Amino acid sequence: MSYDSIVLASASERRSRLLAQIGVRHESLAADLNEDPRPGEGPAEYVQRLARAKALAGLAALGGKTDRPVLAADTTVVLDGRIYGKPSDEQECVTMLMTLSGRSHEVMTAVALADGTELRTAMNVSRVTFRRLDEQECRRYWGTGEPAGKAGGYAVQGLAAVFISRLEGSFSCVMGLPLFETAALLDAAGVRRWQATA
């Protein structure tokens, strides 16, 4: 079976733009769920569980059956084994950024694709190094509005690019949707790529 389009179980404009970049026709459907880590859950388990849960929630929102696969992803920032999710306020964001300051951290993004009969998953782990930051700069960055809703409190493709002295791995993973792994999942499911998306 082959598919001309998919459903993206995410309201993220970043993920939508990344799919369009590789010519995948899609429509977006928000899949909101509790994103709190479970007790004792490691970062890799956490992002994989959430990606699968979002894909299945998207499928359920479509009545459990669809003529198109449902794609979902989840991203987290990890430093010293600790998960850094989305900051809830300015102080949490500043604390996160100052913890990441001058250090290297991992960004993990898991991707899941559900088509009603099969649930495929993949994951990318990339490494990001921040230059040293100061607290006032972090507060000014929060004031731009960009960190809200971003794992680790920053957006690699935005103003925070000036924080990053080195990136090892996948830029699209750090952005929220690793395109190499995503394309492999889509190919395995028979989803056409490189189509006009406008």
Side-chain angles (χ1 to χ4, degrees), residues 56-123:
L56 293 173
L59 196 60
L62 297 170
K65 293 193 182 247
T66 179
D67 57 351
R68 295 173 292 167
V70 177
L71 180 79
D74 192 73
T75 302
T76 196
V77 166
V78 182
L79 180 64
D80 298 331
R82 180 176 170 195
I83 295 168
Y84 289 85
K86 301 167 184 171
S88 58
D89 58 28
E90 178 180 4
Q91 190 52 54
E92 186 177 14
C93 180
V94 170
T95 300
M96 278 184 193
L97 293 173
M98 291 303 293
T99 302
L100 300 175
S101 173
R103 299 187 66 192
S104 295
H105 61 270
E106 291 181 325
V107 178
M108 297 180 178
T109 299
V111 186
L113 186 71
D115 63 10
T117 59
E118 192 171 351
L119 179 62
R120 297 173 175 88
T121 59
M123 188 171 81

